[in-house]
Amino acid sequence: MRLTDPQRTMLQGDGGRAAAKAMEILVALGEVFGAERLLPVKSVQVAGVSYGNLGDEGLAYLEELAEDGRAVVPATLNPAGMDLRRPEPMGLDPHFVERQRRVITAYGRLGIAAACTCTPYLAGNTAAPGETLAWSESSAVTYANSVLGARTNREGGPSALAAALTGFTPAYGLHLDGPRQPTCRFRVDARLDGARDWGLLGMLLGQASDGEVALLEVSPDAPAPDLESLKALCAALPTYGGAPLFHLAGLTPEADRYSAPSPKDTHSITEQAFRRVRDREAEAAAPPDLVCLGCPHATLSELQAAAEQLRGGQVQVDTWICTSRPIKALADELGISDTIEASGALLLCDTCFVVAPLKGRYHRLVTNSAKGLYYASGHGGMDVTLLRAAECLRVALTGGLP
Ligand code: F3S
C-alpha cells in the first residue's frame, strides 16, 4: 500500500504511540483487502462501547490508547450498556456501572464524543453523498451508504477507532465504485405498511440476497418509505445476511448510477412470504416480561406516537423506549418525555436492550424491531414476539398477549 510522507511518519511514531498503533491497524487491514492507499475520512462512528462487550481487556486497551491518542476527525459512539446520566432505573450491577463510566471517560480522553447512538445521522453526525466515512454500527453503515449515498465499509470497533485517531481509512470495498454495483434485483410484490413491515423486508431481503448488493423495486403506487421505515430496513438487512448497501429504485441517490443487474438475477418477494414471516414472528406463547421500542434509536415522531398512546395509562410490563440524547432533549422540550415516563415506561438514552447486560433477567420480549428480534432471541436467549409499535404498546398497557 502506498503511504504519503505524513502517513509514513505517523506509522513510525511521529504522531505518538496511539496514532502509530492505529496506523499499523489500518495498513494491515488495507493489505489484507488489497487497498492501494488510504482515504481521508470525514467522520467516524465507533462501536465497541458497552462494557459488557469490551470487558476489562477492552477497557485496558482504550485506557492505554488514551494516554497519548486524540481523534483528529469528528467521531461519535455506538450505544453503551446503560443510560450514562441515569443508570439507576435500569437496575444494573454497580461494578458494571463503574466500568462503563471508565469506558466513556477513556473515549472522552480520546476526543470521541459520548453521543452514544446507532442513529448518528439524526444526532449531528451525518453525511453528504460521496463523502468517505468510517462507521461501525451496521444499521448506520447501511443508512449512510444507501440512503445518504456516502461511502463506508462496516468497520469493526478497532478499525473505526484507528480511523478516528489518524483521519484515514483504507480504500477498498464500498469506498470503490465496483463493489457498489447491484448484482441482483428484487421486486417487492407486497403491501408494506409502516416500519415493522420495512424491517421484515430487510429480513427477507437479507436472507435471500446472501451478501450481494441488491437493487430493490417497490411498486410505484406504494407510498414512499418514511424515515422510520428506511431506518428499520437498514437495521434488518445486514443483520439477516445482506450487504450494508442497497439501492431503492426511484428513491436512493445511487439507484440510477450503475448498470442494471441481469434479468436472470431478478427475484421477487411476495405477499405470501411476508404473511408467513409476519404470522410466525407475531406468535406468542406467554405474556411478555419486557416490551422494547427504539431499535434503532427512536425518532421524534416515534416518541410522539408512543406518548400519545401511553398518555393517561400505566404500563403493566417493564417497558423501555430507547433514543439518542439529542432526540430526547427535543422530546423533553415538547413534554413528550414526561408523558411517556408518567405511564411507567422508561425513556432511555445512550443504550439499548441488546447492548445492556440483560441476559437472564428477562425471558419474553415484545418489540417492533426485526434486528432486535435477531439479537434478543439468539445471543439474548429470549422468546421474542414481533409486532407493530402500537401493538407493542398495547401489550405494555394491558400486560397480556397480543
Ligand atoms: Fe441500535 Fe441497539 Fe438496535 S445499537 S440498532 S438499538 S441493537
Side-chain angles (χ1 to χ4, degrees):
M1 192 159 68
R2 287 190 316 272
L3 298 184
T4 61
D5 287 343
Q7 290 166 352
R8 199 168 306 109
T9 54
M10 199 185 284
L11 181 63
Q12 287 160 355
D14 280 13
R17 277 184 302 139
K21 198 180 271 188
M23 193 53 100
E24 260 174 44
I25 291 172
L26 297 179
V27 169
L29 190 65
E31 281 173 355
V32 166
F33 287 100
E36 292 180 355
R37 64 197 173 102
L38 294 173
L39 298 169
V41 295
K42 191 88 183 174
S43 77
V44 173
Q45 193 257 358
V46 181
V49 182
S50 173
Y51 171 70
N53 298 332
L54 285 169
D56 285 330
E57 216 171 300
L59 172 59
Y61 177 72
L62 288 175
E63 288 181 334
E64 188 192 329
L65 280 183
E67 282 170 16
D68 75 340
R70 187 85 193 157
V72 295
V73 289
T76 57
L77 295 176
N78 218 30
M82 65 188 198
D83 187 308
L84 299 176
R85 295 195 197 156
R86 200 176 56 130
E88 298 77 15
M90 295 177 70
L92 303 174
D93 175 358
H95 173 78
F96 182 93
V97 172
E98 185 265 323
R99 293 300 159 108
Q100 184 65 77
R101 288 209 163 107
R102 271 176 60 184
V103 168
I104 297 299
T105 302
Y107 274 123
R109 287 172 56 209
L110 284 162
I112 301 182
C116 297
T117 181
C118 48
T119 55
Y121 48 87
L122 301 179
N125 184 5
T126 189
E131 280 182 353
T132 299
L133 317 175
W135 287 13
S136 300
E137 155 55 35
S138 65
S139 66
V141 166
T142 309
Y143 194 96
N145 279 318
S146 313
V147 180
L148 302 178
R151 296 187 167 210
T152 174
N153 286 317
R154 186 176 168 179
E155 300 292 344
S159 63
L161 186 51
L165 298 179
T166 60
F168 297 105
T169 193
Y172 73 95
L174 294 177
H175 292 295
L176 310 178
D177 277 344
R180 298 181 73 87
Q181 158 76 44
T183 50
C184 53
R185 182 200 315 253
F186 280 81
R187 295 206 164 107
V188 183
D189 298 320
R191 199 173 150 267
L192 298 176
D193 183 10
R196 194 277 311 258
D197 282 357
W198 283 84
L200 288 180
L201 172 61
M203 176 195 279
L204 292 168
L205 181 63
Q207 288 164 343
S209 59
D210 199 20
E212 291 188 41
V213 176
L215 174 63
L216 200 52
E217 293 176 346
V218 178
S219 158
D221 303 330
D226 56 13
L227 166 61
E228 290 73 21
S229 299
L230 290 168
K231 176 169 76 82
L233 169 62
C234 291
L237 177 62
T239 299
Y240 288 91
L245 167 66
F246 64 89
H247 303 290
L248 180 53
L251 192 92
T252 57
E254 294 184 11
D256 295 328
R257 180 178 173 145
Y258 302 98
S259 51
S262 104
K264 75 174 177 32
D265 295 315
T266 297
H267 315 271
S268 64
I269 299 181
T270 62
E271 181 66 45
Q272 207 183 14
F274 269 91
R275 205 171 311 124
R276 257 199 314 270
V277 71
R278 259 186 218 123
D279 292 350
R280 188 183 70 221
E281 304 303 353
E283 241 175 53
D289 49 12
L290 182 64
V291 173
C292 283
L293 300 181
C295 170
H297 277 171
T299 63
L300 189 61
S301 316
E302 287 173 317
L303 295 185
Q304 182 142 30
E308 285 314 316
Q309 196 176 345
L310 293 171
R311 186 185 299 281
Q314 278 298 308
V315 296
Q316 307 299 315
V317 185
D318 282 4
T319 301
W320 289 17
I321 304 178
C322 300
T323 192
S324 64
R325 204 157 278 287
I327 296 292
K328 163 87 165 32
L330 285 172
D332 289 350
E333 287 291 315
L334 296 168
I336 291 171
S337 308
D338 285 346
T339 307
I340 289 175
E341 296 224 315
S343 75
L346 281 180
L347 180 54
L348 298 169
C349 292
D350 319 312
T351 190
C352 80
F353 63 96
V354 172
V355 296
L358 293 187
K359 200 162 184 182
R361 193 165 132 202
Y362 293 106
H363 304 284
R364 292 175 307 282
L365 170 73
V366 167
T367 182
N368 64 337
S369 167
K371 176 173 177 174
L373 162 76
Y374 180 91
Y375 284 104
S377 58
H379 165 76
M382 296 191 226
D383 286 335
V384 185
T385 308
L386 186 68
L387 301 173
R388 295 178 198 288
E391 294 166 334
C392 293
L393 292 180
R394 208 171 305 134
V395 170
L397 288 166
T398 61
L401 287 170

